[in-house]
Amino acid sequence: VGIIALVGTIFALIYTAIEAIFNIPTITYGAWTGISLHEIAHVVLAADIGGPEAMTFALLGKLGRVFLLIPLSIVLILYMRYKSQSSQ
């Protein structure tokens, strides 16, 4: 867990440098940040430099990714039940 937090912090700082150097469009930067970083705190840290619009898209991307874990979990549960019943 500590390594994930450390690497996420490093990448959040690298993202802010990338945005400053390459002048990425706000919406693109926000979506990229939200989809690719692991923790919500890292998303907020990296997206803040892009402004409110980047922050909005970053949070929507991050929360959308988290929301998709629910149907994925249901599909995996159903698949595992199917596999365990067919092996008996």
Side-chain angles (χ1 to χ4, degrees):
V1 174
I3 291 173
I4 291 172
L6 179 65
V7 170
T9 303
I10 291 168
F11 273 97
L13 295 172
I14 290 172
Y15 280 22
T16 58
I18 288 173
E19 198 278 333
I21 294 169
F22 295 110
N23 198 16
I24 301 171
T26 306
I27 294 173
T28 305
Y29 178 71
W32 174 54
T33 302
I35 291 171
S36 62
L37 290 173
H38 180 68
E39 292 183 14
I40 192 111
H42 297 142
V43 171
V44 171
L45 171 67
D48 189 45
I49 195 169
E53 193 172 39
M55 181 72 76
T56 300
F57 278 91
L59 292 176
L60 283 174
K62 177 62 183 164
L63 295 176
R65 220 178 80 182
V66 170
F67 181 71
L68 289 175
L69 289 173
I70 296 169
L72 177 66
S73 297
I74 292 170
V75 168
L76 288 175
I77 289 169
L78 294 174
Y79 176 74
M80 295 304 286
R81 282 186 183 172
Y82 172 77
K83 289 294 279 185
S84 69
Q85 289 175 355
S86 66
S87 67
Q88 293 179 356

